[in-house]
Amino acid sequence: MSRKRRSRGKTLIIIGMLLVMAAGVLYYANLSEDKSAGEASTALLCEMDSGNVEEGKLCGKLTIRALELTLPVLAEWSEYGLTQAPCRYSGNA
C-alpha cells in the first residue's frame, strides 16, 4: 500500500472516532434535557393539582393513554416553555 493511501485511511478512522464521540455527547445532552423537562412537567402537574398555579399559566392537561403519560399544557407559547411542557399555539406558522 502506498503511504498516501495509509494516511488517508488513518484520517478517516480518526474522523469516524470523532463523529462517534460527538454522537455520544449529543446522546448525553438529550438524556439530560429529557430528565429536566420531565421534572419540570411533574412540578407543573403538582402545582396544577394543588391549585397553586399562576392565573393564565396553564390551560389544561394532555393525557396519552398508550404511553401512560400526562402532561400539563401551558397557556402561552414560548421557547422556554417548550422545555417544560407542551404549549398552546394559535395562528399560522
Side-chain angles (χ1 to χ4, degrees):
M1 265 194 338
S2 70
R3 184 179 177 133
K4 185 177 181 181
R5 199 168 188 187
R6 228 179 301 147
S7 67
R8 181 190 284 174
K10 287 180 182 180
T11 302
L12 290 175
I13 287 173
I14 290 171
I15 290 172
M17 289 172 41
L18 290 173
L19 289 173
V20 168
M21 289 185 341
V25 168
L26 286 173
Y27 177 75
Y28 176 75
N30 284 336
L31 282 180
S32 176
E33 186 177 347
D34 178 52
K35 181 181 177 184
S36 65
E39 291 169 353
S41 181
T42 302
L44 285 171
L45 279 174
C46 290
E47 283 181 29
M48 185 180 225
D49 292 339
S50 67
N52 295 334
V53 180
E54 296 175 30
E55 186 67 31
K57 184 175 181 179
L58 297 172
C59 65
K61 291 181 184 180
L62 173 66
T63 302
I64 305 172
R65 291 187 188 121
L67 300 176
E68 298 178 4
L69 182 64
T70 301
L71 298 169
V73 178
L74 298 174
E76 297 292 323
W77 182 92
S78 71
E79 195 73 35
Y80 176 72
L82 285 174
T83 63
Q84 296 180 342
C87 300
R88 188 177 84 183
Y89 177 80
S90 62
N92 295 331

